[in-house]
Amino acid sequence: MADYLSVTDFSSEEMEELWSMTDRLKANPLNNLLNGKNVLLLFEKPSTRTRVSFEVGVNQLGGSPIYMDASTSQLSRGEPVEDTGRTLDRYVDMVVARVYKHEDLVKLALSMEKPVINALSDLEHPCQIMADLYTIREKLGGIKGKKITFIGDGSNNVCTSLILGSALAGASIVVASPPGYEPKKAVVGMASELSANSVKVTGDPVSAVSDADVIYTDVFTSMGQEKEREQRLATFLPKYQVNQQLMKAAPEGSLFMHCLPAHHGEEVTREVLYGSHSVVFDQAENRLHVQKAIMLKLFNRKV
Ligand code: CP
Ligand code: NVA
């Protein structure tokens, strides 16, 4: 059965289909399409939004979510990922996994017949970006031709999925990052194959926001990189902070987006996070609606 490990696992047509399904699920949240299905959430890292939105989403579709903190499983005592996958395959109908190493997610998916969903890895955060592109479509009336600007760590999971997802959806993206934190060349290459000239990389946040429809940022230090925190703060601040001064250089109607959790006063100020451009809590809400559509699609169910 199909997995959802990368934002590129769905085609642009399938993305559109998912968002139309999401519109219908948002209007009518409850049904029984996952009746009898057990969905395991296997998490190696902390989570608020992803965990709760998946648990509520499975409940709203009539299924049963089961949460397992990986540190309380036999994985923490060295049981191989593949044996874990082979075992889980006998019990549950789907696994939603948040892992440190993307390669572990791939091993898990290869060892299982049942679908596996990436709930964040060091490489990608596809559920986040599928929901964020839906939010842009909802707020700006469409996504094709829109200009997205990402400010911050261009090499992280959220930015990687945003670059690839934007290319698939027909939007263009400018990434403003300090040297050493630019998007990986392979990611820019893959996005360019999906859509020519869809990605630009710059070291200048002010020019990057000047004609942006969306200004997106994420933490400077992702989960698993905590030891680099001081050095990252020194590299990113003050130039790569999204604050009111930077937002003044952006168009009036532009959206401010952040996957959350936000570190107030680091990558974003409270004024911007709670300001008139911000749609961060609508993004968080849409995680719930979009992920329900993703699960239904992997189970070949339609609404
Ligand atoms: N944005 C996001 O994935 O949030 P959580 O870490 O709280 O799940
Ligand atoms: N880049 C962040 C996203 C958190 C939702 C991290 O991986 O910690």
Side-chain angles (χ1 to χ4, degrees):
M1 236 188 215
D3 301 303
Y4 186 54
L5 306 189
S6 166
V7 78
T8 57
D9 285 343
F10 290 130
S11 65
S12 8
E13 293 73 31
E14 286 173 316
M15 267 176 142
E16 292 288 348
E17 187 196 323
L18 269 168
W19 294 330
S20 303
M21 264 173 60
T22 304
D23 289 337
R24 296 190 281 278
L25 287 163
K26 204 166 168 175
N28 290 298
L30 303 180
N31 61 50
N32 266 318
L33 289 169
L34 293 194
N35 191 20
K37 299 283 186 201
N38 289 294
V39 176
L40 178 73
L41 277 72
L42 172 61
F43 279 44
E44 289 183 347
K45 300 178 184 175
S47 169
T48 298
R49 279 147 288 270
T50 309
R51 175 183 176 174
V52 178
S53 57
F54 265 107
E55 289 203 36
V56 171
V58 173
N59 279 320
Q60 289 184 348
L61 298 172
S64 306
I66 303 161
Y67 180 79
M68 184 163 73
D69 172 349
S71 70
T72 65
S73 78
Q74 296 290 6
L75 280 166
S76 69
R77 296 181 56 252
E79 183 168 21
V81 176
E82 292 89 339
D83 289 355
T84 306
R86 287 180 193 113
T87 305
L88 295 174
D89 217 22
R90 308 287 178 111
Y91 300 142
V92 301
D93 300 289
M94 172 178 274
V95 174
V96 177
R98 172 167 284 199
V99 300
Y100 283 98
K101 292 191 280 180
H102 190 82
E103 63 194 68
D104 283 341
L105 201 60
V106 174
K107 283 183 195 165
L108 186 71
L110 288 174
S111 62
M112 299 189 62
E113 293 288 326
K114 310 282 173 54
V116 175
I117 293 181
N118 181 356
L120 181 148
S121 70
D122 57 350
L123 198 64
E124 278 207 50
H125 198 1
C127 296
Q128 177 72 50
I129 296 310
M130 195 62 99
D132 294 340
L133 295 173
Y134 177 81
T135 304
I136 295 170
R137 171 186 174 273
E138 196 176 46
K139 300 281 175 194
L140 301 180
I143 179 90
K144 277 198 177 58
K146 296 288 182 275
K147 292 186 177 162
I148 301 171
T149 291
F150 181 93
I151 314 274
D153 181 4
S155 64
N156 84 6
N157 43 14
V158 167
C159 188
T160 297
S161 291
L162 186 62
I163 291 171
L164 297 172
S166 302
L168 266 174
S172 64
I173 181 162
V174 181
V175 181
S177 304
Y181 297 93
E182 298 99 342
K184 295 173 196 89
K185 287 206 165 61
V187 173
V188 176
M190 203 188 294
S192 309
E193 274 174 33
L194 291 167
S195 167
N197 305 317
S198 57
V199 194
K200 262 194 225 139
V201 180
T202 172
D204 180 7
V206 178
S207 70
V209 301
S210 66
D211 60 349
D213 295 301
V214 175
I215 291 111
Y216 198 123
T217 191
D218 182 15
V219 291
F220 297 142
T221 307
S222 288
M223 290 181 276
Q225 300 171 332
E226 288 76 8
K227 282 194 191 120
E228 300 170 22
R229 184 176 144 75
E230 292 310 314
Q231 177 235 314
R232 282 172 175 262
L233 280 175
T235 305
F236 285 92
L237 287 176
K239 189 174 169 187
Y240 295 90
Q241 181 185 70
V242 181
N243 51 34
Q244 272 181 318
Q245 200 187 331
L246 186 65
M247 288 307 288
K248 278 197 190 116
E252 192 68 31
S254 54
L255 306 179
F256 170 73
M257 301 183 82
H258 192 309
C259 56
L260 302 179
H263 289 182
H264 299 188
E266 294 185 13
E267 74 278 2
V268 61
T269 58
R270 291 169 66 87
E271 289 78 15
V272 173
L273 191 66
Y274 304 130
S276 57
H277 295 267
S278 178
V279 295
V280 297
F281 297 107
D282 296 322
Q283 283 178 261
E285 179 188 331
N286 282 333
R287 296 289 304 279
L288 168 66
H289 308 301
V290 169
Q291 286 161 191
K292 286 164 70 182
I294 293 172
M295 288 189 282
L296 290 175
K297 172 102 181 114
L298 293 180
F299 282 124
N300 286 317
R301 305 277 158 91
K302 281 200 186 337
V303 281

mmCIF file of all heavy atoms in Angstrom, residues 212-237:
data_model
loop_
_atom_site.group_PDB
_atom_site.id
_atom_site.type_symbol
_atom_site.label_atom_id
_atom_site.label_comp_id
_atom_site.label_asym_id
_atom_site.label_seq_id
_atom_site.Cartn_x
_atom_site.Cartn_y
_atom_site.Cartn_z
ATOM 1 N N ALA A 212 6.524 39.278 -1.844
ATOM 2 C CA ALA A 212 6.039 37.962 -1.385
ATOM 3 C C ALA A 212 4.541 37.987 -1.070
ATOM 4 O O ALA A 212 4.033 38.950 -0.512
ATOM 5 C CB ALA A 212 6.814 37.543 -0.139
ATOM 6 N N ASP A 213 3.869 36.890 -1.435
ATOM 7 C CA ASP A 213 2.480 36.700 -0.989
ATOM 8 C C ASP A 213 2.471 36.074 0.403
ATOM 9 O O ASP A 213 1.515 36.240 1.163
ATOM 10 C CB ASP A 213 1.740 35.763 -1.955
ATOM 11 C CG ASP A 213 1.603 36.374 -3.337
ATOM 12 O OD1 ASP A 213 1.003 37.467 -3.424
ATOM 13 O OD2 ASP A 213 2.106 35.786 -4.315
ATOM 14 N N VAL A 214 3.528 35.314 0.702
ATOM 15 C CA VAL A 214 3.606 34.580 1.974
ATOM 16 C C VAL A 214 5.013 34.708 2.533
ATOM 17 O O VAL A 214 5.991 34.520 1.792
ATOM 18 C CB VAL A 214 3.310 33.073 1.749
ATOM 19 C CG1 VAL A 214 3.507 32.274 3.028
ATOM 20 C CG2 VAL A 214 1.912 32.869 1.197
ATOM 21 N N ILE A 215 5.126 35.016 3.825
ATOM 22 C CA ILE A 215 6.437 35.020 4.494
ATOM 23 C C ILE A 215 6.388 33.921 5.546
ATOM 24 O O ILE A 215 5.533 33.938 6.443
ATOM 25 C CB ILE A 215 6.743 36.384 5.140
ATOM 26 C CG1 ILE A 215 6.958 37.403 4.016
ATOM 27 C CG2 ILE A 215 8.002 36.336 6.002
ATOM 28 C CD1 ILE A 215 5.906 38.406 3.902
ATOM 29 N N TYR A 216 7.264 32.929 5.403
ATOM 30 C CA TYR A 216 7.213 31.731 6.250
ATOM 31 C C TYR A 216 8.523 31.625 7.020
ATOM 32 O O TYR A 216 9.594 31.846 6.457
ATOM 33 C CB TYR A 216 7.056 30.499 5.331
ATOM 34 C CG TYR A 216 6.556 29.227 6.005
ATOM 35 C CD1 TYR A 216 5.418 28.577 5.556
ATOM 36 C CD2 TYR A 216 7.237 28.666 7.094
ATOM 37 C CE1 TYR A 216 4.957 27.409 6.167
ATOM 38 C CE2 TYR A 216 6.782 27.509 7.707
ATOM 39 C CZ TYR A 216 5.642 26.882 7.245
ATOM 40 O OH TYR A 216 5.199 25.732 7.858
ATOM 41 N N THR A 217 8.446 31.312 8.312
ATOM 42 C CA THR A 217 9.674 31.001 9.029
ATOM 43 C C THR A 217 9.459 29.804 9.948
ATOM 44 O O THR A 217 8.336 29.353 10.162
ATOM 45 C CB THR A 217 10.222 32.212 9.817
ATOM 46 O OG1 THR A 217 11.548 31.911 10.266
ATOM 47 C CG2 THR A 217 9.366 32.558 11.027
ATOM 48 N N ASP A 218 10.544 29.297 10.471
ATOM 49 C CA ASP A 218 10.533 28.148 11.389
ATOM 50 C C ASP A 218 11.692 28.365 12.368
ATOM 51 O O ASP A 218 12.539 29.250 12.151
ATOM 52 C CB ASP A 218 10.712 26.853 10.559
ATOM 53 C CG ASP A 218 10.659 25.569 11.405
ATOM 54 O OD1 ASP A 218 10.206 25.624 12.569
ATOM 55 O OD2 ASP A 218 11.087 24.508 10.897
ATOM 56 N N VAL A 219 11.745 27.551 13.397
ATOM 57 C CA VAL A 219 12.821 27.677 14.396
ATOM 58 C C VAL A 219 14.200 27.604 13.736
ATOM 59 O O VAL A 219 14.363 26.954 12.703
ATOM 60 C CB VAL A 219 12.701 26.560 15.468
ATOM 61 C CG1 VAL A 219 11.475 26.781 16.332
ATOM 62 C CG2 VAL A 219 12.689 25.174 14.841
ATOM 63 N N PHE A 220 15.182 28.252 14.375
ATOM 64 C CA PHE A 220 16.559 28.176 13.863
ATOM 65 C C PHE A 220 17.176 26.817 14.207
ATOM 66 O O PHE A 220 18.036 26.316 13.494
ATOM 67 C CB PHE A 220 17.421 29.281 14.477
ATOM 68 C CG PHE A 220 16.987 30.680 14.128
ATOM 69 C CD1 PHE A 220 17.042 31.703 15.074
ATOM 70 C CD2 PHE A 220 16.527 30.984 12.853
ATOM 71 C CE1 PHE A 220 16.657 32.997 14.749
ATOM 72 C CE2 PHE A 220 16.146 32.288 12.521
ATOM 73 C CZ PHE A 220 16.208 33.290 13.483
ATOM 74 N N THR A 221 16.745 26.259 15.350
ATOM 75 C CA THR A 221 17.313 24.992 15.830
ATOM 76 C C THR A 221 16.200 23.951 15.895
ATOM 77 O O THR A 221 15.298 24.053 16.718
ATOM 78 C CB THR A 221 17.927 25.186 17.234
ATOM 79 O OG1 THR A 221 18.836 26.291 17.188
ATOM 80 C CG2 THR A 221 18.647 23.940 17.715
ATOM 81 N N SER A 222 16.268 22.970 15.020
ATOM 82 C CA SER A 222 15.231 21.931 14.994
ATOM 83 C C SER A 222 15.496 20.866 16.052
ATOM 84 O O SER A 222 16.612 20.770 16.588
ATOM 85 C CB SER A 222 15.198 21.280 13.613
ATOM 86 O OG SER A 222 14.648 22.172 12.669
ATOM 87 N N MET A 223 14.470 20.053 16.313
ATOM 88 C CA MET A 223 14.615 18.970 17.292
ATOM 89 C C MET A 223 15.751 18.042 16.855
ATOM 90 O O MET A 223 15.820 17.654 15.685
ATOM 91 C CB MET A 223 13.300 18.191 17.403
ATOM 92 C CG MET A 223 12.200 18.996 18.073
ATOM 93 S SD MET A 223 10.658 18.063 18.230
ATOM 94 C CE MET A 223 9.903 18.321 16.624
ATOM 95 N N GLY A 224 16.622 17.751 17.797
ATOM 96 C CA GLY A 224 17.776 16.909 17.495
ATOM 97 C C GLY A 224 19.046 17.724 17.264
ATOM 98 O O GLY A 224 20.138 17.160 17.182
ATOM 99 N N GLN A 225 18.905 19.058 17.149
ATOM 100 C CA GLN A 225 20.089 19.918 16.878
ATOM 101 C C GLN A 225 20.407 20.801 18.083
ATOM 102 O O GLN A 225 21.106 21.815 17.943
ATOM 103 C CB GLN A 225 19.799 20.824 15.674
ATOM 104 C CG GLN A 225 19.491 20.067 14.397
ATOM 105 C CD GLN A 225 19.008 20.964 13.273
ATOM 106 O OE1 GLN A 225 18.423 22.019 13.506
ATOM 107 N NE2 GLN A 225 19.223 20.545 12.043
ATOM 108 N N GLU A 226 19.858 20.463 19.249
ATOM 109 C CA GLU A 226 19.931 21.353 20.418
ATOM 110 C C GLU A 226 21.366 21.777 20.770
ATOM 111 O O GLU A 226 21.566 22.896 21.235
ATOM 112 C CB GLU A 226 19.251 20.701 21.633
ATOM 113 C CG GLU A 226 17.722 20.645 21.557
ATOM 114 C CD GLU A 226 17.163 19.568 20.623
ATOM 115 O OE1 GLU A 226 17.943 18.730 20.114
ATOM 116 O OE2 GLU A 226 15.922 19.553 20.408
ATOM 117 N N LYS A 227 22.340 20.919 20.515
ATOM 118 C CA LYS A 227 23.730 21.260 20.865
ATOM 119 C C LYS A 227 24.246 22.448 20.047
ATOM 120 O O LYS A 227 25.197 23.112 20.438
ATOM 121 C CB LYS A 227 24.651 20.054 20.609
ATOM 122 C CG LYS A 227 24.559 19.005 21.682
ATOM 123 C CD LYS A 227 25.729 18.027 21.552
ATOM 124 C CE LYS A 227 25.492 16.825 22.443
ATOM 125 N NZ LYS A 227 25.444 15.569 21.673
ATOM 126 N N GLU A 228 23.611 22.706 18.894
ATOM 127 C CA GLU A 228 24.077 23.800 18.010
ATOM 128 C C GLU A 228 23.361 25.110 18.293
ATOM 129 O O GLU A 228 23.564 26.099 17.591
ATOM 130 C CB GLU A 228 23.794 23.417 16.540
ATOM 131 C CG GLU A 228 24.478 22.158 16.093
ATOM 132 C CD GLU A 228 23.966 21.693 14.719
ATOM 133 O OE1 GLU A 228 23.416 22.499 13.953
ATOM 134 O OE2 GLU A 228 24.118 20.488 14.437
ATOM 135 N N ARG A 229 22.496 25.125 19.317
ATOM 136 C CA ARG A 229 21.605 26.263 19.536
ATOM 137 C C ARG A 229 22.329 27.616 19.651
ATOM 138 O O ARG A 229 21.988 28.573 18.951
ATOM 139 C CB ARG A 229 20.762 26.000 20.791
ATOM 140 C CG ARG A 229 19.746 27.053 21.061
ATOM 141 C CD ARG A 229 18.881 26.697 22.251
ATOM 142 N NE ARG A 229 18.550 27.882 23.010
ATOM 143 C CZ ARG A 229 17.665 28.784 22.638
ATOM 144 N NH1 ARG A 229 16.998 28.622 21.517
ATOM 145 N NH2 ARG A 229 17.441 29.852 23.366
ATOM 146 N N GLU A 230 23.344 27.714 20.492
ATOM 147 C CA GLU A 230 24.020 29.002 20.715
ATOM 148 C C GLU A 230 24.670 29.498 19.424
ATOM 149 O O GLU A 230 24.566 30.663 19.063
ATOM 150 C CB GLU A 230 25.076 28.879 21.831
ATOM 151 C CG GLU A 230 24.491 28.639 23.219
ATOM 152 C CD GLU A 230 23.367 29.628 23.567
ATOM 153 O OE1 GLU A 230 23.538 30.837 23.330
ATOM 154 O OE2 GLU A 230 22.297 29.177 24.058
ATOM 155 N N GLN A 231 25.340 28.578 18.747
ATOM 156 C CA GLN A 231 26.027 28.942 17.506
ATOM 157 C C GLN A 231 25.018 29.365 16.425
ATOM 158 O O GLN A 231 25.233 30.324 15.695
ATOM 159 C CB GLN A 231 26.855 27.737 17.058
ATOM 160 C CG GLN A 231 27.591 27.889 15.767
ATOM 161 C CD GLN A 231 27.216 26.776 14.816
ATOM 162 O OE1 GLN A 231 27.170 25.604 15.211
ATOM 163 N NE2 GLN A 231 26.916 27.127 13.575
ATOM 164 N N ARG A 232 23.885 28.673 16.376
ATOM 165 C CA ARG A 232 22.853 29.030 15.398
ATOM 166 C C ARG A 232 22.263 30.412 15.703
ATOM 167 O O ARG A 232 22.053 31.221 14.797
ATOM 168 C CB ARG A 232 21.751 27.971 15.363
ATOM 169 C CG ARG A 232 22.145 26.741 14.583
ATOM 170 C CD ARG A 232 21.119 25.630 14.723
ATOM 171 N NE ARG A 232 21.458 24.508 13.874
ATOM 172 C CZ ARG A 232 20.930 24.279 12.658
ATOM 173 N NH1 ARG A 232 19.998 25.060 12.175
ATOM 174 N NH2 ARG A 232 21.315 23.237 11.943
ATOM 175 N N LEU A 233 22.001 30.679 16.978
ATOM 176 C CA LEU A 233 21.440 31.990 17.344
ATOM 177 C C LEU A 233 22.388 33.097 16.896
ATOM 178 O O LEU A 233 21.956 34.115 16.354
ATOM 179 C CB LEU A 233 21.211 32.081 18.858
ATOM 180 C CG LEU A 233 19.938 31.411 19.390
ATOM 181 C CD1 LEU A 233 19.897 31.474 20.907
ATOM 182 C CD2 LEU A 233 18.691 32.058 18.788
ATOM 183 N N ALA A 234 23.686 32.883 17.124
ATOM 184 C CA ALA A 234 24.679 33.893 16.755
ATOM 185 C C ALA A 234 24.722 34.078 15.237
ATOM 186 O O ALA A 234 24.928 35.186 14.732
ATOM 187 C CB ALA A 234 26.051 33.484 17.285
ATOM 188 N N THR A 235 24.484 33.022 14.489
ATOM 189 C CA THR A 235 24.524 33.107 13.021
ATOM 190 C C THR A 235 23.266 33.772 12.446
ATOM 191 O O THR A 235 23.338 34.566 11.514
ATOM 192 C CB THR A 235 24.654 31.684 12.415
ATOM 193 O OG1 THR A 235 25.789 31.057 12.992
ATOM 194 C CG2 THR A 235 24.788 31.711 10.906
ATOM 195 N N PHE A 236 22.106 33.414 12.999
ATOM 196 C CA PHE A 236 20.830 33.853 12.401
ATOM 197 C C PHE A 236 20.390 35.242 12.865
ATOM 198 O O PHE A 236 19.685 35.950 12.126
ATOM 199 C CB PHE A 236 19.725 32.843 12.721
ATOM 200 C CG PHE A 236 19.800 31.577 11.910
ATOM 201 C CD1 PHE A 236 20.481 30.461 12.368
ATOM 202 C CD2 PHE A 236 19.181 31.498 10.668
ATOM 203 C CE1 PHE A 236 20.552 29.290 11.616
ATOM 204 C CE2 PHE A 236 19.241 30.343 9.906
ATOM 205 C CZ PHE A 236 19.932 29.232 10.384
ATOM 206 N N LEU A 237 20.772 35.617 14.102
ATOM 207 C CA LEU A 237 20.292 36.897 14.637
ATOM 208 C C LEU A 237 21.325 37.995 14.435
ATOM 209 O O LEU A 237 22.524 37.727 14.556
ATOM 210 C CB LEU A 237 19.968 36.758 16.137
ATOM 211 C CG LEU A 237 18.689 35.971 16.431
ATOM 212 C CD1 LEU A 237 18.510 35.802 17.937
ATOM 213 C CD2 LEU A 237 17.458 36.647 15.823
#
